[in-house]
Every structure is written in structure tokens, then in C-alpha cells.
Amino acid sequence: MAPLQTSTQLIKAILGPTNTGKTHLALERMMAHTSGTIGFPLRLLAKENYDRMVLIKGEQHVALITGEEKIIPPKAKWFSCTVEAMPTHIPVDFVAIDEIQLCADPDRGHIFTDRLLHCRGNIETMFLGADTITPILKQLIPNIEIDSRPRLSNLTYTGFDKFTKLPPRSAIVAFSANEVYAIAEFIKRRHGGCAIVMGRLSPRTRNAQMELYQNKEVDYLVATDAIGMGLNMNVNHVAFASLSKYDGRQLRNLYPSEIAQIAGRAGRGMQDGTFGTTANCSSMSEKNVNAVENHHFDSLKQLFWRNHTPDFSNPSKLLASLSKAPPLKTLITSQHTADLQTLIYLIQDPEVMAACTNVQNTQLLWENCQIPDFKKLGNDNHARICKKTFLFLLKQGHIPETWMHQQIEQLNHPHGDIDTLMQRLSGIRICSYLAAKNQWLENAIYWQAQAREVEDSLSDALHTALMSRFVNQRATSLLRNLKNQGKDNLLTSITTSGTILIEGQAIGSFKGFTIELQESIPQEDYKLALRSIRKNIRLLIPQQIYKFTHATEQDFQIDLKTGNILWENTPIARLKKGYDLLHPQITLLNNEFLDNEIKDILLKHLQEYLSTQVEHLCSNLLKAHNNDKLSPILRGLIHQIYENGGILWRNHQTHLPKTSKNTLYKYGIIQGEYAFYLKDLFKEKKVKFRALLYHLFHHSIQAEMIPLPHLIHINTKDDHIDDDFYQFLGWIKASNQYIRLDVAEKINKNLRNKIKKHPSTFKKQDVTPLPYISETIPNLLKALGFFTQKPQHPSKKRMGPPAPLLVGTAPFQVAKKHKSKLQTKKKAPSISIADLQKFYNKNRHD
């Protein structure tokens, strides 16, 4: 994007209140150009408009770029972005910035101002937002065209209403989580339930809550001021439960423009809307009412600004340049932004300052300071994260995968209360941001997928938790009404997807052979519901048995963490220790609907499924183990491999005839230098299944951390690892590291070919594909059965360059030191005084 305006560029501002069609117009204009970029204030908005653009231009031509998510096809010409993530280095014909009045926001304003001053389309540039920014726009860009647009519908103040009097399709606005929860609890008791919208919700959870409201499953919405931006919904009335909020620095009254931004969500298109107050909030002042109804607000006086060309010579100069005074009185600097506060904190760290000795390192430090503080735990906590990632990148060139795995796994727990889930979502957003930095991770695409999967899981769990706490299902109301009428013979049915319907209303689910009633059903209604459900579901058991016996292998799963066998995503049996490693025992979970005959049918089918899984793991090994025609030596060897689940470590050299080796290879068994092992044993699914078998057989279902499937080398310095478990999985321990068996065998083969006749100089490529770390090489080679001679450094008697590290198959002889001629002269025998006395006494008697 060109930062300067030319005579052929059109710069335009489309300004006005909410519901004026500004964004729709900007998208139309962008689609008319051959390329374009539009920046939105929220990730949610960027994703929503990305989907719209894809429908028009096709997936291969549209990109999505946010701090946490990047979808950039090679042929992308149109970009939907958050304002912070806009690719300013890519020239496009059209550029648009939404909600440009956010230039006056203390936290993010400098970014919007930077885009206002420096981002231009080659042909057309468009700014969208409130008309309060009009005077400053004219001052900063004298030849800008201003198009002021009126609201498409009227907005009318209706005064104060009690909660009980609020009309359906209302949104109630509060400014703290505790207020939102309290109001939502009341709405649930009086009106059956409500949807929740808060800024800390993920886009997926927010959309799910909005869908709950849009589908009219609930008639009320309880929200924070996050409702004021980017939500297009069918709200007829907005009720303020408070007219003040804490903005991160102080508790203050809402500005009239902020009230209008939120109240403007009432009424969409040509439909009029209303707004008012409720709860403990007093009536709105006449001045504010007139301002909101007539869209007349004070113009912005100043915009937040930051120096566009910071000095990266060192951190101190960087801070000074970022704090540089603006060139105009209408621009002010903000000293309270999160990235600047992080920089100030890290400048006081001696380790950081010692590392930033050049421009490149200082730039890297600033990039890490700009990691968003989604958790909002304070500067100290966030700064420590930024320092850690900075030092990782500085010293190792990337963020270690083991650290990334640890961060994601700590958050991968979709259980807990609403606040806990929201805190975890904030944490996973930081992981998503790090993963989106492709140059910061060696396998960025993998970690992006991992973070997205955990975020989706937490988002779904959060939506479920919100539903459970703040929504009474209509089925619950139905049950209560029928109970009051004395009816207990309810019409019950089950859909093909397993949903239980009572009188046509969803009340729970029947999956596998288990009833799961919705948690929102009051406890007093459980007995009535279960009585009717049991009576009718018993008639459906034969149908369920038929589905079970005709299920395919893909319909079953084994939970590798718990050892449960799942059907229809529901546990029906559990694996326990069997008579050997490869034959776990199957135990059905307790179930009231299963008699002994049905249990026998289920166990038989499950045993067939488990046998298939074991066969997938080691079919050739099973064939070899059952072959009675093999020689006794081979049968004994194969039996040991079988007992160890596919790997038998060699404690001594086993000399087998060539025919026996060929026989083993026929069955997929490799005779390596360190072990006999199945050649395809290190595939991801097989590793996980063998890990489960190990823990079942050793009476432990609390699985140790399984190595990531793409790893071939693990540094164990900071990790607690069960040596027996890792050896079972096929890893060789070498001092502070583990090497995967197949990789160790490859290195061994290459080295032995190289040093077959005599020792040789060791080179980095000799341990490919392992990373070369010079201080670990001697221990690694020793663990692999080789001998080394350390480099011989120059001395007075040893001239020339230092001798390299040598590697061989036998111990190196230690050079004997040459003694001087003086030292080698034969010395005269010495006699002590005691010896002389003995000699004298003996001769005297003689």
C-alpha cells in the first residue's frame, strides 16, 4: 500500500451512525476493483466478511489475516483483516478501514491513526465510521471527500422498565461479568433463558450464542458493551442496566456517542428501534437522549498517534523514538498501551538489554512486546511470556515445540466453570498468535491446527456451560407443566441421531446404551422424565442392538487416554489388563438396559473390533507368532518380540543365519544393531495404541506424555520422563536426550559403513537428521556403541591446526609419555639404617 497520495487517488470517508450501510458499501466498492484490503476492528468481523467475500470471488482469491488466523491463498487479491494485521506491504487498488473513530481509543488508537495517515489504495481509499471524526479528517487529509449518511431507521427512548416488563427481543447491557451473570440468572428464572455476549468470548462461542438468540430459542440477550460493534441481529429494544463503566483506568460515565453506538443495535434495516434503562439504573438525562435520538455528538478533539519510523539501534533509543512528540496538536501519544508497557518492563532486565546489541535483535524484541495480552493478568505476567519467547527466538532461532506443546496441553481441558473456560480461551489465543507467526515455529501449520482445535473445543464447552447455566430448555417447561397436570404417560421417541423427544421436544439423548438428560432440567423433574423414557426406550433396544451389530470399524473409537471403547461417541466398555500385552480384557460398563444375552452379543462384537485393531498394529508379527513351522530359535525370538509389543532390545550380539534374517524380514521384522523391531511401528496411530497397551498391562491408565509423532529427538533436561515407557516405545537414551530407534539405526548403519576399516573424522552430516549440538555428540556416539577421541588442541610440541573429533568401532590407544634419559638411568640401590643394623647383628653372632 502506498503511504502517499497521488493525484489519481480517491480518498473518501463514509460517516454516520449505526445502521447506515457503510460496511456493505465498502465491500461493494472493493469487489469492483481488481484487488483490495479492508481492515476491521474485530477478528469476528474480519471472519464474517471473509465468508461473504469468498461467496463472491471464490476461496482461491480471498485471504483472511488476523493476529491469530491466516488463510492466504497464493492467488489472493482481496484481503479481509483486523486493522493490526493488515499487510501494508502488499499494493492493492482499494483500501478501507472500518470504525475509523477508534483513532481516539487510548489502547488501539495509534494503530488506526497510522492506517489513516499511511495506508492508501492505488486507486481508492475509504474510511468508515462515526461522523465525530469529521473535523480532524479534514485537517489531516485536506482533499478528502466526506459522505455523511443518515440512519435508515429511527431510534426512540422509552424510559425505564423493570426486568419483568422488558419486551421480547430485548438486549440488556451491563459493564461487568458479575452484573451480566446476575441479570442472566434473573432472566432465566422469569423468561426461561437468555443468550450471553461478552468481549472475552471467542468468535465461535459468540456466534453460537447469537444463533441461540436469532433462532428464537431465547427471547433475551444479556451483554457488555461488546454488543456495540459488529453484531447484526434482530434486536428491537436495548436496555441499559448501567450508564457507567470502568475503562481500565477509572470508573466513568458513558459518553453520549458510546450510548448511541450500543443503543444503535436496536432496529436494523428499515425497522425502528427503542432504547431505555432497567435494573438499578436511573433514567437517562434529557441531554443524552436528545444526542442519541438526533445523532448529534461532540467532535473528536485529538487522535492517538505513534512515531511511524522507530529507532531500533537499541531498546533505549526505541523507547525514546516511540515516545516522540507528535507533529500536530490534534495528535497525542499514549503511554499506557500494553506493548509499550511491556517494553518499559523488559528494558529493566539485564539479560534482555545484553542481548539487544544490534538493530535486528531490537526489532525482534519489539515484535515480542507486541504479543497481545489476551489474559489481562497485568504487565509483569505478560512481560515474562514476551521475554521467554524473545530469548527462545534469539538463542534457538525458533520457539521449541516441546514448550509450545506444554502451553497448549495446559489449556486443553474443556471442563470447568465459565470464567475458567474464558481464561483458557484467552491463553489459547496467545498460542494461536504465536503459531500464526510462521517464522517463529519450525512447524507452524501443525501448531496452528493444534491451537485452533483446542480453541474450538473450549469454545464449544463454553457455549455448553453458558447454555447450562442461563437457559431452561423448553422441554423442561413442558415436563413441569405435564407433571402439574398429573400426566406420566408421555409420548417419547428417539431420532436417528439419538435425540430423545418427549411430546416433540428435545429432552436429552440416547447414545450407545446410555440416557443423558439435559443438565438444565430441574432435579424434581428427573424422576418423571426417566420413568417415561425408560418405559419407551426399552422398546428401542432391539433397534439399537441391530445398529450396533451392523456398525463398521469406523463407528468405534478407543479413547487412548482412558482406555474406553466408544460407540456413537459414548463409552460402552473399558479395556483392562489381559493375559498378555496384545490381548487386553474388555469389560462392559454398567447399564440398566443390558441383560446377559445382550451383553454376550456386545462383547463378541467388541472383541472382533479389538482384534482388528491389534491386527492393524502388528498383523505380520501375529502371523509369525502363530507359525509352528519356524525353527525353534526363530520361534523363541519372535515370541520375545511379541511379548514386548513389536520391539526386542538386543543385550548381546545375536548371530542369525542369512535365511533366518530373510524370514524375519518377510514378516516385517528388522534386525537392527540395537533391537529387533517392526518396520512401521513409529506411525502416529500405532505409537498411541502401543502406549495404551503398555499402560493397561502395567495397571496404569494415567499415560505419560507420548512423544509428538513428528519428533525424532527429545531433549530431556527439563522434562520428567519414564525411561521404561520410552524404551518400550522405541527410544534410545543418550545422556540428556532420547533418539528414536529407527533414526538411531540409520545413523549407526551410515557411520559403520564409513569407519568399517579404520577410524574417521566425525562430520555434522554423520548424525543427520538429528540436530547437531557439539557438546552432546560424544555422549550420543557412546550411547550408540561407538568410541571417540576428543580433538587434540595445538601445543608447543604439537604444531598445526587442531585434530578433529575421531570416531571408531574400538577404543583409541592412549599415547605413552616419553621419559628423559636422566629419568631412565638405573638408580643405585638404597639401604636404610634398619637394614644395616640387622646385617651387623647377624654377622656379629657368626
Side-chain angles (χ1 to χ4, degrees):
M1 301 175 193
L4 300 174
Q5 180 186 358
T6 68
S7 58
T8 59
Q9 289 177 334
L10 172 64
I11 304 179
K12 196 170 185 177
I14 311 299
L15 307 178
T18 57
N19 193 26
T20 55
K22 298 186 291 292
T23 305
H24 180 75
L25 172 65
L27 286 175
E28 277 190 339
R29 292 296 306 144
M30 184 165 76
M31 296 294 97
H33 288 279
T34 57
S35 61
T37 298
I38 183 166
F40 293 99
L42 298 174
R43 175 187 174 196
L44 179 73
L45 284 175
K47 180 65 169 68
E48 181 181 301
N49 285 284
Y50 163 79
D51 294 335
R52 293 176 183 172
M53 292 158 63
V54 165
L55 292 175
I56 300 171
K57 295 296 185 180
E59 212 171 44
Q60 69 273 27
H61 297 302
V62 180
L64 171 68
I65 306 178
T66 70
E68 300 136 81
E69 189 174 7
K70 289 180 174 60
I71 304 173
I72 311 176
K75 297 181 180 179
K77 294 182 179 179
W78 293 274
F79 301 82
S80 179
C81 320
T82 50
V83 172
E84 286 86 345
M86 290 176 69
T88 55
H89 61 286
I90 301 178
V92 290
D93 290 343
F94 177 88
V95 168
I97 310 292
D98 194 21
E99 305 291 357
I100 194 62
Q101 77 278 0
L102 287 178
C103 288
D105 180 76
D107 297 315
R108 304 171 66 200
H110 65 278
I111 299 169
F112 283 79
T113 302
D114 181 84
R115 304 296 185 257
L116 173 68
L117 296 175
H118 300 286
C119 285
R120 299 289 182 268
N122 293 330
I123 298 175
E124 184 176 358
T125 303
M126 186 176 287
F127 302 111
L128 319 172
D131 52 13
T132 54
I133 199 173
T134 301
I136 292 185
L137 280 184
K138 289 181 178 179
Q139 179 187 350
L140 296 177
I141 310 173
N143 58 343
I144 191 170
E145 294 183 18
I146 305 291
D147 182 1
S148 296
R149 298 201 161 202
R151 183 178 166 89
L152 298 176
S153 61
N154 294 321
L155 197 57
T156 307
Y157 178 66
T158 58
F160 176 86
D161 282 308
K162 293 182 178 180
F163 280 139
T164 53
K165 300 293 184 180
L166 289 174
R169 317 311 293 165
S170 289
I172 303 140
V173 181
F175 294 95
S176 73
N178 289 336
E179 284 183 291
V180 168
Y181 296 158
I183 294 169
E185 293 279 9
F186 183 85
I187 295 296
K188 174 185 175 181
R189 290 194 299 269
R190 295 304 300 258
H191 300 291
C194 61
I196 303 291
V197 171
M198 294 190 288
R200 293 174 64 195
L201 301 185
S202 67
R204 185 181 178 98
T205 305
R206 194 164 163 177
N207 286 338
Q209 287 290 301
M210 289 310 306
E211 187 177 349
L212 182 70
Y213 176 82
Q214 292 290 74
N215 293 341
K216 296 188 176 180
E217 294 180 51
V218 293
D219 277 327
Y220 296 88
L221 179 69
V222 182
T224 61
D225 53 348
I227 193 179
M229 197 172 292
L231 288 178
N232 297 314
M233 54 200 173
N234 299 320
V235 171
N236 297 334
H237 180 76
V238 172
F240 288 85
S242 176
L243 289 173
S244 61
K245 73 170 186 177
Y246 181 74
D247 63 5
R249 297 176 183 85
Q250 61 180 344
L251 182 66
R252 61 170 177 81
N253 293 329
L254 296 176
Y255 303 128
S257 58
E258 292 175 316
I259 296 173
Q261 184 76 23
I262 299 168
R265 294 301 154 189
R268 304 301 297 170
M270 303 303 293
Q271 179 183 348
D272 293 340
T274 58
F275 68 101
T277 58
T278 189
N280 298 321
C281 183
S282 58
S283 297
M284 202 173 293
S285 69
E286 186 176 346
K287 179 182 178 181
N288 283 344
V289 170
N290 289 334
V292 174
E293 287 185 338
N294 299 309
H295 315 299
H296 291 155
F297 309 104
D298 294 337
S299 298
L300 297 175
K301 305 299 183 186
Q302 291 180 312
L303 307 182
F304 284 95
W305 174 90
R306 177 181 284 173
N307 183 11
H308 184 65
T309 55
D311 183 354
F312 291 107
S313 301
N314 58 56
S316 299
K317 290 185 178 180
L318 172 62
L319 178 60
S321 65
L322 292 172
S323 305
K324 181 181 176 181
L328 300 172
K329 291 183 178 180
T330 52
L331 303 176
I332 57 173
T333 58
S334 175
Q335 301 299 321
H336 302 288
T337 56
D339 53 0
L340 203 59
Q341 291 299 312
T342 301
L343 178 63
I344 292 171
Y345 180 88
L346 292 181
I347 279 179
Q348 303 172 45
D349 190 304
E351 187 178 7
V352 171
M353 289 298 288
C356 295
T357 55
N358 55 45
V359 170
Q360 183 181 359
N361 290 357
T362 306
Q363 286 178 328
L364 182 62
L365 174 64
W366 181 232
E367 283 186 60
N368 282 267
C369 289
Q370 291 177 302
I371 296 172
D373 183 14
F374 293 120
K375 289 186 176 181
K376 305 295 182 187
L377 294 178
N379 289 329
D380 293 3
N381 290 286
H382 182 65
R384 281 193 286 270
I385 295 174
C386 297
K387 175 187 174 182
K388 184 174 284 290
T389 57
F390 167 67
L391 293 177
F392 278 148
L393 294 167
L394 191 68
K395 295 178 180 179
Q396 302 182 32
H398 61 271
I399 296 174
E401 293 190 322
T402 50
W403 184 83
M404 197 71 176
H405 175 75
Q406 182 185 19
Q407 300 305 304
I408 292 178
E409 281 302 303
Q410 286 176 351
L411 300 167
N412 188 16
H413 300 287
H415 309 288
D417 58 27
I418 293 170
D419 289 331
T420 300
L421 291 170
M422 285 199 290
Q423 190 64 25
R424 288 178 189 150
L425 271 169
S426 299
I428 203 64
R429 289 183 68 188
I430 295 177
C431 295
S432 296
Y433 181 89
L434 296 176
K437 293 277 192 180
N438 291 332
Q439 68 277 21
W440 284 11
L441 288 158
E442 289 187 327
N443 195 353
I445 295 176
Y446 172 82
W447 292 112
Q448 288 165 17
Q450 293 294 305
R452 193 177 307 117
E453 182 181 337
V454 173
E455 180 177 336
D456 288 348
S457 174
L458 291 173
S459 297
D460 293 342
L462 179 56
H463 174 62
T464 301
L466 291 169
M467 287 272 291
S468 175
R469 182 169 174 182
F470 300 122
V471 178
N472 268 331
Q473 299 298 318
R474 293 180 180 181
T476 305
S477 300
L478 172 68
L479 283 172
R480 190 178 297 112
N481 292 335
L482 290 173
K483 180 184 68 174
N484 292 337
Q485 297 171 15
K487 296 183 180 181
D488 58 3
N489 188 19
L490 308 178
L491 179 60
T492 307
S493 61
I494 181 171
T495 67
T496 54
S497 63
T499 301
I500 300 172
L501 304 176
I502 294 184
E503 299 292 333
Q505 296 291 339
I507 196 74
S509 63
F510 184 63
K511 292 185 177 181
F513 296 92
T514 305
I515 295 174
E516 293 182 2
L517 294 183
Q518 295 171 351
E519 293 181 4
S520 57
I521 297 176
Q523 191 64 37
E524 61 269 20
D525 291 336
Y526 258 80
K527 291 182 179 180
L528 173 63
L530 288 174
R531 184 165 67 242
S532 177
I533 290 170
R534 287 194 184 102
K535 179 179 178 181
N536 290 276
I537 280 186
R538 287 189 186 280
L539 303 176
L540 301 173
I541 291 297
Q543 172 188 333
Q544 200 75 344
I545 293 293
Y546 180 84
K547 281 176 62 180
F548 180 87
T549 54
H550 287 78
T552 63
E553 181 184 339
Q554 288 70 33
D555 295 325
F556 295 91
Q557 299 91 37
I558 295 178
D559 187 328
L560 298 174
K561 291 185 178 180
T562 64
N564 287 337
I565 301 180
L566 282 67
W567 178 55
E568 295 186 339
N569 293 321
T570 303
I572 59 172
R574 178 169 295 159
L575 296 177
K576 294 184 178 181
K577 180 179 179 180
Y579 64 85
D580 67 22
L581 182 79
L582 296 178
H583 291 87
Q585 179 185 350
I586 302 174
T587 304
L588 291 174
L589 300 179
N590 291 333
N591 194 294
E592 60 181 298
F593 299 110
L594 306 181
D595 57 27
N596 290 334
E597 185 178 352
I598 294 175
K599 288 180 180 179
D600 290 340
I601 295 172
L602 300 187
L603 281 172
K604 179 181 177 182
H605 201 73
L606 289 173
Q607 190 60 59
E608 291 174 358
Y609 166 72
L610 180 59
S611 298
T612 303
Q613 300 310 300
V614 174
E615 190 170 341
H616 288 333
L617 175 67
C618 54
S619 58
N620 286 330
L621 179 60
L622 293 175
K623 291 177 184 177
H625 188 256
N626 295 328
N627 189 348
D628 295 334
K629 296 180 180 180
L630 296 177
S631 66
I633 293 177
L634 277 182
R635 288 186 63 192
L637 183 64
I638 290 171
H639 180 71
Q640 291 182 72
I641 298 172
Y642 169 88
E643 284 185 327
N644 289 279
I647 295 178
L648 176 62
W649 294 95
R650 299 176 63 182
N651 295 324
H652 54 82
Q653 291 296 326
T654 306
H655 299 287
L656 293 176
K658 187 175 182 180
T659 54
S660 297
K661 291 182 181 179
N662 292 338
T663 301
L664 289 176
Y665 191 77
K666 175 185 173 183
Y667 287 108
I669 300 172
I670 295 175
Q671 178 183 345
E673 182 71 21
Y674 311 111
F676 295 92
Y677 63 98
L678 297 179
K679 62 181 179 180
D680 58 350
L681 210 57
F682 295 97
K683 293 182 178 179
E684 180 178 0
K685 289 184 178 179
K686 293 190 177 186
V687 170
K688 291 183 177 180
F689 189 50
R690 288 185 75 244
L692 173 64
L693 293 175
Y694 176 90
H695 290 292
L696 288 173
F697 196 71
H698 292 85
H699 303 286
S700 170
I701 216 62
Q702 300 298 324
E704 301 288 335
M705 187 178 72
I706 302 174
L708 297 175
H710 60 281
L711 291 181
I712 59 174
H713 163 272
I714 298 174
N715 190 324
T716 63
K717 186 176 181 181
D718 300 322
D719 297 329
H720 175 70
I721 288 181
D722 185 331
D723 291 341
D724 292 337
F725 175 56
Y726 263 56
Q727 187 177 38
F728 172 82
L729 289 182
W731 290 75
I732 295 176
K733 187 173 185 181
S735 187
N736 286 338
Q737 57 187 331
Y738 274 89
I739 314 298
R740 207 171 70 190
L741 172 60
D742 56 337
V743 175
E745 293 284 7
K746 178 182 176 183
I747 293 172
N748 178 279
K749 183 178 180 181
N750 293 338
L751 270 175
R752 290 198 180 275
N753 288 336
K754 178 179 177 180
I755 62 177
K756 192 172 184 181
K757 296 181 179 179
H758 51 75
S760 179
T761 301
F762 178 80
K763 296 181 180 179
K764 291 183 180 180
Q765 54 266 34
D766 290 337
V767 291
T768 303
L770 296 182
Y772 177 81
I773 306 172
S774 58
E775 58 268 22
T776 66
I777 290 300
N779 287 332
L780 169 63
L781 294 175
K782 181 180 178 181
L784 296 181
F786 295 96
F787 296 89
T788 61
Q789 180 172 282
K790 295 181 179 180
Q792 302 296 310
H793 295 285
S795 65
K796 292 181 180 180
K797 296 183 180 180
R798 190 180 294 110
M799 306 301 291
L805 175 70
L806 295 180
V807 57
T809 56
F812 288 85
Q813 292 184 353
V814 180
K816 295 182 179 179
K817 293 183 179 179
H818 295 284
K819 297 181 180 179
S820 65
K821 291 182 179 179
L822 184 64
Q823 290 174 325
T824 57
K825 239 181 214 184
K826 191 174 182 181
K827 293 183 179 180
S830 60
I831 301 176
S832 66
I833 298 298
D835 290 335
L836 289 174
Q837 186 66 43
K838 288 180 182 178
F839 179 78
Y840 171 78
N841 292 335
K842 180 181 178 183
N843 289 318
R844 186 185 62 176
H845 293 297
D846 290 340

